[in-house]
Amino acid sequence: MAFQNGNSKKKLDVVVVGGGLVGSLEAIYLAKRGHRVSLYEYREDIRNTPNVRGRSINLALSVRGRKALKGVGVEDHIVNEHGIPMRARMIHRPDGTTYSIPYDARTNQCIYSVGRNYLNGILLKESENYDNVEKYFNHKLVESNFQKGSLTFVKMDTKETVQVKADLIIGADGAFSAVRKEMMKQPLFDFSQQYIEHGYLELCIPADENGGFQMPPNFLHIWPRGNFMMIALPNQDCSWTVTLFMPFNHFKNIDTEEKLLEFFGKYFPDSIPLIGEKKLIEDFFGGSPSALVTVKCRPYHVHDKALIIGDAAHAVVPFYGQGMNAGFEDCSILNDLFQKHNDNIPNILQEFSSTRWQDAFAISDLAMYNYIEMRDLVTRPSYRLRKAVDDFIFWLLPNVWVPLYNSVTFSTMPYSQCVKNRQWQNKVLIMAIAALGLLSFIIFYYSK
Amino acid sequence: MAFQNGNSKKKLDVVVVGGGLVGSLEAIYLAKRGHRVSLYEYREDIRNTPNVRGRSINLALSVRGRKALKGVGVEDHIVNEHGIPMRARMIHRPDGTTYSIPYDARTNQCIYSVGRNYLNGILLKESENYDNVEKYFNHKLVESNFQKGSLTFVKMDTKETVQVKADLIIGADGAFSAVRKEMMKQPLFDFSQQYIEHGYLELCIPADENGGFQMPPNFLHIWPRGNFMMIALPNQDCSWTVTLFMPFNHFKNIDTEEKLLEFFGKYFPDSIPLIGEKKLIEDFFGGSPSALVTVKCRPYHVHDKALIIGDAAHAVVPFYGQGMNAGFEDCSILNDLFQKHNDNIPNILQEFSSTRWQDAFAISDLAMYNYIEMRDLVTRPSYRLRKAVDDFIFWLLPNVWVPLYNSVTFSTMPYSQCVKNRQWQNKVLIMAIAALGLLSFIIFYYSK
């Protein structure tokens, strides 16, 4: 491959640990810059495995993710051929009636529902266009020495040990990252993992007998019920991936078919005929709820040799639909830094590590906040009033007043800036209300 | 040994991992209840090792610690024969002048400066009075299976492997606990470690030529300097353990003897003749600053078989002088639970785990807050005014209005309650100020 920028710079040996969404995208970015990339993945090649249940939440592709995919030339294909646009939230009331809240009333932008496995497959396939990418599946990382840049993998089938050396190690191995576990041994490494009391369980609404959607497809459907909620995202085959989020002890209490049907009959009655009673019982009792964790840490690098990105660096709860997007954004930011620092690894890692955490912490906190918004606040008049006000000013002053959700989802404004922006908007609104109050008082006083 | 409560309950095999302050106290408590205790410590017996530098901060014994020591009958000995009472903070201004702020102006209670090694030695020695305690030094925990209650240690000298089984495993192995590391593998384990940007370095003010104290001994001396500070605690031999807390990069910038003397000459001029120029240079460049970490986690137990206490469960920064006291309090709380649940391990662990974390989190946050108070706020008029107000109301209404520092240090009110108490006091003060303002206005208005 020719170098993207035509420089005669040194080719680096880079090991990417983790062949999931972020790892495979990062491998392509690095290959595109001419580096020799070895991608190691603990699991089998996902393209050879049947669809795995329980691995599909959180795949709402938005602007940050799209920009990163565009950077390696796969955005169009994914969005146009395989993404299902969702233009609004459709809220299901307990009585089965619905109403919708558009994501972007002004310019009608949307988020795209994309299957995780499908997207992962596309990225792995894309990497085959680069002859400087080698992929090793069924390889488990068992030891690492970041100072020396050496890693030891065990081949899952033969139990053979493989030693590799690299100029740069990138850990994109998810929320329970083995690379990060090794990094934790360095001094002054801040780390936190926090589980929420809610677990999630996946259900499915199949296509109808004509192979069509059973619900209007261009929506993210939400059944907000205060302390718990259910959501549904459309799939390419006209089925829906339905996810129930609920405190673990609620799950535990529903231990008979009667209780399950009673529960669904009370809170999600309109979903029962869509899912089908038999299938509901089967899926509910066939799986057990999975946990949701937030991981924050810093720094993201060590010894000018190793870096973590994606969920390994900042796993977030899925309620802002930004987990994958933030991970993809890591790849495009990193690519910009490779360009800026002309592939000088120490400078790249230093800058990524010292700047990215603020945005990662910000989206982490936003996602945790949205966890309450989606299941509860969204139904309240105060939420809808604020949204109406925001949307109105946004319509009036589109360059000045971008509502929080829009700046997070439909812009590449740094997440931390989105938060600051919102705080500024809050201040302005409070002052405006105070001014209005004062004005009313003055008018009232003089018109007596 | 006879059982304390005379019941014919089952003797348990308990392994305590860690023979530091909290581990050795816990071993005594368990032995006192008649259980068979094996205490495993990674290091040599501290009684056989010369004084270790850099292990003495944070040893201000206060009411919670004293209560726990009293429970095994060693409080009097420690406090009366080896503790040096500190009745006030003595603040050193940059010009060398001082003033003092009493800890408890009302009843003159005090905290006690106690040497870590000395205290640890006393507790280990006390455990020898129980023939149901076995101690194993130089044993490093290398593997554990909490479900089975089995642990594997390696003897540091012979490299021999030792397998042990226990009905209960108690990890009291400090901020970097090996027991906790194993616990982290359980699902839904919340964990955070956070380093502060300040490191600490120990210096020493020796006794004077007559073997006496060079500064008034019944004080905790503080040189607060905004973003950094120095403190000194008195030792039995009339020397002082001096600790300099400062951002790591400040330490790094002081890289020549000239810079060091200039720095001390500017900020701590009165300390130079006390420490001695030569000794100051020697000690400052002889060591490197150590890091300070806050650890929060929960739950504290797993599988009804293993529990962590002390720093292993809740390492805090040393600025409230409560690290050891909180660890000792764990032991006395645990002992109360053994009594309450008649040595039923599952119930004891369950209750400890589900209640103690709130207080641990609270003292952790308070210690972090005091980190700012001690080095900065303490010098401000607003701080001294609030303290004067608090002390006055405390004097007026001693049962109603206990200031925060006093409730933390001189009571056994749960830490989380101390915090709530303070929040209530803040509210009352704000309302009182508002009422006073209103009253002044009314008086002013009618007296016109």
Side-chain angles (χ1 to χ4, degrees):
Chain A
M1 294 295 302
F3 290 123
Q4 190 181 36
N5 56 2
N7 280 350
S8 62
K9 64 186 183 318
K10 194 183 155 239
K11 287 184 191 181
L12 300 169
D13 285 309
V14 187
V15 168
V16 175
V17 182
L21 295 171
V22 173
S24 46
L25 178 60
E26 182 56 27
I28 301 172
Y29 265 111
L30 291 164
K32 207 159 174 274
R33 293 192 68 80
H35 300 302
R36 287 181 295 261
V37 183
S38 307
L39 181 71
Y40 286 86
E41 165 59 42
Y42 170 55
R43 296 193 192 82
E44 250 250 81
D45 188 337
I46 202 160
R47 292 167 294 176
N48 305 337
T49 48
N51 251 336
V52 189
R53 270 193 80 225
R55 297 270 305 159
S56 65
I57 58 161
N58 207 21
L59 289 194
L61 183 64
S62 54
V63 162
R64 291 165 208 268
R66 290 175 60 182
K67 184 189 164 197
L69 293 173
K70 194 188 181 102
V72 296
V74 296
E75 186 213 5
D76 275 352
H77 180 68
I78 288 167
V79 167
N80 297 332
E81 294 188 28
H82 297 273
I84 300 172
M86 300 184 287
R87 306 197 180 280
R89 291 169 172 171
M90 181 165 280
I91 310 293
H92 293 242
R93 296 195 187 90
D95 65 5
T97 59
T98 60
Y99 62 95
S100 73
I101 308 175
Y103 283 122
D104 177 31
R106 202 178 60 89
T107 59
N108 205 18
Q109 291 187 88
C110 60
I111 56 180
Y112 290 85
S113 177
V114 188
R116 170 193 293 267
N117 290 4
Y118 158 75
L119 185 50
N120 204 160
I122 296 266
L123 291 170
L124 289 172
K125 185 155 171 266
E126 175 65 20
S127 74
E128 282 166 7
N129 295 333
Y130 297 83
D131 51 20
N132 49 341
V133 178
E134 300 278 356
K135 291 187 287 291
Y136 304 91
F137 294 97
N138 298 310
H139 277 66
K140 184 184 177 182
L141 179 66
V142 290
E143 229 184 280
S144 27
N145 183 328
F146 296 138
Q147 202 145 14
K148 293 185 186 161
S150 72
L151 297 170
T152 310
F153 293 91
V154 166
K155 285 174 82 167
M156 299 303 284
D157 39 9
T158 62
K159 300 295 166 199
E160 203 181 322
T161 297
V162 186
Q163 283 270 0
V164 286
K165 281 207 78 171
D167 302 311
L168 172 63
I169 296 157
I170 294 190
D173 50 344
F176 302 99
S177 168
V179 175
R180 188 187 64 225
K181 209 166 278 169
E182 192 62 33
M183 273 194 183
M184 277 192 69
K185 295 181 186 161
Q186 73 176 310
L188 304 181
F189 187 74
D190 284 352
F191 171 79
S192 87
Q193 64 182 38
Q194 195 195 345
Y195 289 87
I196 57 172
E197 57 156 348
H198 285 57
Y200 71 91
L201 190 85
E202 289 200 0
L203 304 167
C204 179
I205 294 176
D208 64 19
E209 56 260 39
N210 306 319
F213 281 108
Q214 290 203 64
M215 298 192 293
N218 294 126
F219 297 90
L220 195 161
H221 291 256
I222 310 181
W223 291 254
R225 296 295 179 262
N227 195 29
F228 55 95
M229 69 168 174
M230 196 162 78
I231 65 170
L233 274 78
N235 297 322
Q236 281 265 308
D237 63 0
C238 297
S239 69
W240 295 83
T241 300
V242 180
T243 314
L244 174 60
F245 296 93
M246 201 160 64
F248 279 102
N249 55 354
H250 279 40
F251 276 110
K252 223 163 142 184
N253 291 340
I254 301 173
D255 51 3
T256 64
E257 295 182 7
E258 290 68 40
K259 282 187 193 166
L260 176 65
L261 294 177
E262 192 195 321
F263 174 73
F264 265 72
K266 183 166 177 194
Y267 295 108
F268 314 117
D270 56 336
S271 76
I272 301 180
L274 302 175
I275 300 173
E277 243 184 62
K278 198 172 148 245
K279 197 80 178 52
L280 171 61
I281 292 167
E282 224 174 87
D283 283 359
F284 189 91
F285 294 111
S288 59
S290 305
L292 292 165
V293 71
T294 295
V295 170
K296 289 183 183 174
C297 63
R298 62 175 183 157
Y300 295 142
H301 76 296
V302 60
H303 292 314
D304 296 341
K305 274 275 173 59
L307 178 74
I308 46 175
I309 60 175
D311 280 2
H314 45 71
V316 301
V317 291
F319 306 105
Y320 226 111
Q322 284 294 313
M324 172 185 67
N325 288 288
F328 281 175
E329 193 177 47
D330 287 349
C331 300
S332 54
I333 288 175
L334 211 46
N335 188 56
D336 292 346
L337 292 176
F338 267 84
Q339 189 66 26
K340 175 178 171 188
H341 294 295
N342 200 21
D343 298 65
N344 178 308
I345 298 297
N347 293 357
I348 294 164
L349 301 197
Q350 182 59 44
E351 185 166 341
F352 184 83
S353 221
S354 64
T355 55
R356 184 63 175 156
W357 68 270
Q358 295 162 38
D359 296 316
F361 282 26
I363 189 58
S364 180
D365 296 341
L366 284 173
M368 199 63 104
Y369 172 78
N370 234 36
Y371 162 45
I372 302 165
E373 178 172 310
M374 273 182 93
R375 69 173 201 253
D376 192 7
L377 306 187
V378 81
T379 60
R380 300 194 183 185
S382 58
Y383 170 81
R384 301 187 66 188
L385 174 65
R386 172 61 190 262
K387 183 153 166 55
V389 170
D390 269 343
D391 285 348
F392 176 71
I393 312 179
F394 187 30
W395 172 80
L396 217 61
L397 306 163
N399 295 318
V400 178
W401 194 278
V402 185
L404 179 62
Y405 187 89
N406 300 63
S407 66
V408 168
T409 308
F410 302 122
S411 89
T412 55
M413 180 191 289
Y415 291 124
S416 57
Q417 191 54 46
C418 300
V419 172
K420 279 185 204 137
N421 199 31
R422 167 70 165 207
Q423 287 161 347
W424 169 78
Q425 289 169 358
N426 288 347
K427 266 189 216 156
V428 171
L429 284 183
I430 287 169
M431 277 163 55
I433 290 167
L436 272 175
L438 193 64
L439 196 67
S440 316
F441 176 78
I442 292 170
I443 291 169
F444 170 78
Y445 189 84
Y446 284 99
S447 64
K448 264 196 308 190
Chain B
M1 293 295 304
F3 290 123
Q4 191 183 33
N5 56 2
N7 279 353
S8 62
K9 63 185 183 316
K10 192 182 156 239
K11 286 184 193 183
L12 301 168
D13 285 308
V14 187
V15 168
V16 176
V17 182
L21 294 170
V22 173
S24 46
L25 178 61
E26 182 56 28
I28 301 171
Y29 265 110
L30 290 163
K32 206 158 174 277
R33 292 193 68 79
H35 300 302
R36 285 180 297 261
V37 182
S38 307
L39 181 70
Y40 286 86
E41 165 59 41
Y42 170 55
R43 296 194 193 81
E44 250 250 81
D45 188 337
I46 203 159
R47 292 168 294 177
N48 305 336
T49 47
N51 252 336
V52 191
R53 271 191 80 224
R55 297 272 304 158
S56 64
I57 58 160
N58 208 19
L59 290 193
L61 183 65
S62 54
V63 162
R64 291 167 208 267
R66 290 175 61 183
K67 184 187 164 199
L69 294 173
K70 195 188 180 98
V72 296
V74 296
E75 185 213 6
D76 275 354
H77 179 68
I78 288 167
V79 167
N80 298 332
E81 295 188 27
H82 296 271
I84 301 173
M86 300 183 289
R87 305 200 180 279
R89 291 169 172 171
M90 180 166 279
I91 309 292
H92 293 242
R93 296 195 187 91
D95 63 7
T97 58
T98 60
Y99 62 95
S100 72
I101 307 175
Y103 283 121
D104 178 31
R106 201 178 61 88
T107 57
N108 206 21
Q109 290 186 88
C110 59
I111 56 179
Y112 291 85
S113 175
V114 188
R116 172 193 290 267
N117 290 5
Y118 158 75
L119 184 50
N120 204 160
I122 296 266
L123 291 170
L124 289 171
K125 187 156 170 267
E126 177 65 20
S127 75
E128 282 165 8
N129 294 333
Y130 296 83
D131 50 20
N132 48 342
V133 178
E134 299 278 356
K135 291 188 286 292
Y136 304 91
F137 295 97
N138 299 310
H139 277 66
K140 183 184 177 182
L141 180 66
V142 290
E143 230 184 281
S144 27
N145 183 327
F146 296 138
Q147 202 145 13
K148 293 185 184 160
S150 73
L151 297 170
T152 311
F153 294 92
V154 166
K155 286 173 82 167
M156 299 303 283
D157 39 9
T158 61
K159 302 292 166 199
E160 205 181 321
T161 296
V162 187
Q163 282 270 1
V164 287
K165 281 207 79 169
D167 302 311
L168 173 63
I169 295 157
I170 294 191
D173 49 346
F176 302 98
S177 169
V179 174
R180 188 187 65 225
K181 209 164 280 170
E182 193 61 34
M183 273 195 183
M184 277 191 68
K185 295 179 186 164
Q186 73 177 308
L188 304 182
F189 187 75
D190 283 352
F191 171 77
S192 88
Q193 64 181 36
Q194 194 195 347
Y195 288 88
I196 57 172
E197 55 157 350
H198 286 56
Y200 70 91
L201 190 85
E202 289 201 2
L203 304 166
C204 179
I205 294 176
D208 64 19
E209 56 259 37
N210 307 317
F213 281 109
Q214 288 202 67
M215 297 192 295
N218 294 126
F219 298 89
L220 195 161
H221 291 256
I222 311 183
W223 290 256
R225 296 296 178 263
N227 194 28
F228 55 94
M229 70 166 172
M230 197 163 76
I231 64 169
L233 274 78
N235 296 323
Q236 281 265 309
D237 63 1
C238 296
S239 68
W240 294 82
T241 299
V242 180
T243 313
L244 175 61
F245 296 93
M246 201 159 67
F248 278 102
N249 55 354
H250 281 40
F251 276 111
K252 222 162 143 187
N253 291 340
I254 302 174
D255 51 3
T256 64
E257 294 182 6
E258 290 68 42
K259 282 187 193 167
L260 177 64
L261 293 176
E262 192 194 322
F263 174 74
F264 265 73
K266 185 167 175 191
Y267 294 108
F268 314 117
D270 57 336
S271 76
I272 301 180
L274 302 176
I275 299 174
E277 240 181 66
K278 196 170 150 251
K279 199 80 178 55
L280 171 60
I281 293 168
E282 224 174 85
D283 283 359
F284 189 90
F285 293 110
S288 59
S290 305
L292 292 166
V293 70
T294 295
V295 171
K296 289 182 184 175
C297 63
R298 61 177 183 157
Y300 295 141
H301 77 296
V302 60
H303 291 313
D304 295 343
K305 272 276 172 59
L307 178 74
I308 46 175
I309 59 173
D311 280 2
H314 45 69
V316 300
V317 290
F319 306 106
Y320 226 111
Q322 285 293 313
M324 171 184 67
N325 289 287
F328 281 175
E329 194 177 47
D330 286 349
C331 301
S332 54
I333 287 174
L334 210 46
N335 188 56
D336 292 347
L337 292 176
F338 267 86
Q339 189 66 26
K340 175 177 170 188
H341 295 294
N342 202 21
D343 298 65
N344 178 308
I345 297 298
N347 294 357
I348 293 164
L349 300 197
Q350 183 58 46
E351 184 167 343
F352 185 84
S353 222
S354 63
T355 55
R356 185 63 175 157
W357 68 270
Q358 295 163 37
D359 296 316
F361 283 25
I363 189 59
S364 181
D365 296 341
L366 284 174
M368 199 63 104
Y369 173 78
N370 234 34
Y371 162 46
I372 302 165
E373 177 173 309
M374 274 182 93
R375 67 172 201 254
D376 193 6
L377 306 187
V378 79
T379 62
R380 301 196 182 184
S382 57
Y383 169 80
R384 300 187 67 188
L385 174 65
R386 172 63 190 263
K387 184 157 166 52
V389 170
D390 268 343
D391 285 347
F392 175 73
I393 312 178
F394 187 30
W395 172 80
L396 217 62
L397 306 162
N399 295 318
V400 178
W401 193 278
V402 185
L404 179 62
Y405 187 89
N406 301 63
S407 66
V408 169
T409 310
F410 302 123
S411 88
T412 54
M413 179 191 289
Y415 290 124
S416 56
Q417 191 53 48
C418 298
V419 172
K420 278 186 205 137
N421 198 29
R422 167 69 166 208
Q423 288 162 345
W424 169 79
Q425 289 170 359
N426 288 347
K427 266 189 217 156
V428 171
L429 284 182
I430 286 170
M431 279 163 55
I433 291 167
L436 272 175
L438 192 64
L439 197 67
S440 315
F441 176 78
I442 292 169
I443 291 169
F444 169 78
Y445 188 85
Y446 283 98
S447 64
K448 263 197 310 189

